[in-house]
Amino acid sequence: LASISFSPCGFRRHPAPPNPLECPPRWRLVVAAATPLPLPQPLPPACVLVAEGFVRGEAADMDGQSVKTLRDVWKSELGGREGRKRWYARATDYWEKQEASLEGMLGGYPSLNAPDLEDSRRFLEQLRGLPDAPRHGSALDCGAGIGRVTSGLLLDLFGSVDLAEPNNRLLDAAKQGIPSERVGCFYASSLQDLRPEDGRYDLIWVQWSLMYLPDDDLRLFLRRCRAALARGGVLCAKENIARGEQWVLDKQEGSVTRTDSQYCELFRQAGLAVVHEVWQTLWPQELLPVKLFALQRLGSRPLRPEAAPSFAPSPPLA
């Protein structure tokens, strides 16, 4: 049992103490809440609080406070004149401290870049089998960081790509690292402030970014993306997914790991239908599961089963 803490890509390793249960409370909570590893009994109080909360259908934040629903969280965190500003400032501060490199973008796991892009490429290729398949004209990379997905995937499949990233330092690194005439605009914008042009994009890609949006801002963002899709356009979301119904709140980094059902309900509320979905394969077991969703307007027909082969389980990466 290792000591780990939360990161945008899942968990970040830390040197294990002699006794894993002597690790700081924040790490114990993550171990108790989100890993399938067996835990010694009896559990320390902090872990018991989380475990009992999940049994009651509740969840816990990473400070050990039991909370019933995400609605309770948003009411508490976003209240007052400055509440929403404080929430977003946490993620802003986190990313300001990260290197403009694969190491920084992937939470200390640069080796995950290749398997991540490989599964994403396979997923996009499967979308050609959609009844209303997207064209390969223009794409928008949201929360693009240094342009990792744009340079490693989207430029191979789309005629032009725009990037949106709120951190100017990371956006500058993207501009310097992607010298392509097929890159259109670089938008210095967060997801909650992004206003893409209606009907412009065949694909909108957003990865490891929805976790930073409260539910209300997430619904609004998704609705704007829906309006920005061209005919047959697809919004692809790739996000960490909580195991079971055990969503996890990280107040320090201003993020929430939602469950599969929570995301699907938010998509529906935004007028979007899941037309294809797969789990990321070749993924370390100590990291949170990652899922890819392809979304089109409600009423769109999903990918035919024969055109959507399931991903066979793969052994974890070393």
Side-chain angles (χ1 to χ4, degrees):
L1 188 62
S3 298
I4 50 181
S5 67
F6 199 68
S7 78
C9 192
F11 298 136
R12 184 178 297 108
R13 291 180 179 274
H14 293 270
N19 178 0
L21 293 180
E22 293 177 356
C23 61
R26 183 167 179 251
W27 298 353
R28 286 205 307 265
L29 289 169
V30 178
V31 171
T35 72
L37 300 176
L39 293 172
Q41 299 291 334
L43 296 175
C47 292
V48 171
L49 170 65
V50 176
E52 290 180 349
F54 289 142
V55 169
R56 295 194 303 270
E58 300 176 357
D61 64 31
M62 298 179 76
D63 295 322
Q65 301 299 313
S66 180
V67 288
K68 291 184 179 297
T69 67
L70 273 180
R71 182 176 298 180
D72 297 332
V73 171
W74 305 134
K75 183 177 180 180
S76 171
E77 293 294 315
L78 307 181
R81 183 176 299 178
E82 299 295 321
R84 195 173 299 268
K85 183 177 180 181
R86 286 194 301 270
W87 171 265
Y88 283 121
R90 296 165 186 168
T92 299
D93 291 344
Y94 172 83
W95 283 107
E96 192 57 44
K97 298 172 184 176
Q98 305 311 306
E99 293 181 4
S101 64
L102 287 181
E103 179 94 14
M105 297 301 97
L106 293 173
Y109 286 85
S111 62
L112 295 182
N113 185 58
D116 170 64
L117 294 177
E118 177 183 347
D119 270 13
S120 296
R121 182 183 299 273
R122 179 163 42 171
F123 183 71
L124 290 179
E125 290 174 349
Q126 289 177 338
L127 298 186
R128 296 177 180 177
L130 282 171
D132 192 9
R135 293 169 297 185
H136 285 246
S138 60
L140 172 63
D141 186 359
C142 297
I146 62 173
R148 180 184 70 89
V149 175
T150 291
S151 60
L153 174 63
L154 299 182
L155 283 174
D156 293 342
L157 301 176
F158 292 87
S160 65
V161 182
D162 295 340
L163 290 81
E165 166 57 45
N167 186 293
N168 286 319
R169 178 174 55 87
L170 300 181
L171 193 62
D172 287 342
K175 293 176 182 177
Q176 297 173 11
I178 314 175
S180 172
E181 66 280 359
R182 292 189 293 116
V183 174
C185 299
F186 290 89
Y187 298 110
S189 176
S190 62
L191 268 60
Q192 65 270 23
D193 294 325
L194 185 63
R195 301 292 188 275
E197 180 184 342
D198 286 359
R200 177 182 176 91
Y201 296 106
D202 299 303
L203 175 86
I204 297 177
W205 184 273
V206 54
Q207 180 170 351
W208 289 321
S209 296
L210 300 184
M211 66 177 73
Y212 298 113
L213 296 180
D215 287 358
D216 55 355
D217 281 346
L218 176 51
R219 281 190 293 267
L220 292 173
F221 168 74
L222 292 172
R223 289 168 185 165
R224 294 193 298 270
C225 287
R226 184 190 65 191
L229 292 175
R231 181 180 177 84
V234 176
L235 167 61
C236 288
K238 188 170 186 177
E239 292 290 330
N240 294 336
I241 301 295
R243 292 182 170 90
E245 294 301 313
Q246 303 169 0
W247 55 270
V248 178
L249 173 72
D250 186 344
K251 288 185 177 180
Q252 295 190 25
E253 293 173 6
S255 68
V256 59
T257 303
R258 294 178 171 91
T259 66
D260 191 9
S261 60
Q262 284 174 327
Y263 269 122
C264 288
E265 177 60 19
L266 287 165
F267 298 153
R268 186 194 65 79
Q269 292 173 3
L272 292 163
V274 178
V275 293
H276 190 40
E277 55 187 317
V278 298
W279 293 96
Q280 170 73 35
T281 62
L282 291 175
W283 210 240
Q285 288 184 333
E286 70 268 22
L287 300 187
L288 287 167
V290 175
K291 194 171 189 179
L292 297 94
F293 300 92
L295 309 169
Q296 290 183 314
R297 293 177 177 86
L298 280 179
S300 300
R301 290 177 294 167
L303 193 63
R304 299 186 305 275
E306 62 271 19
S310 60
F311 283 19
S314 301
L317 296 177

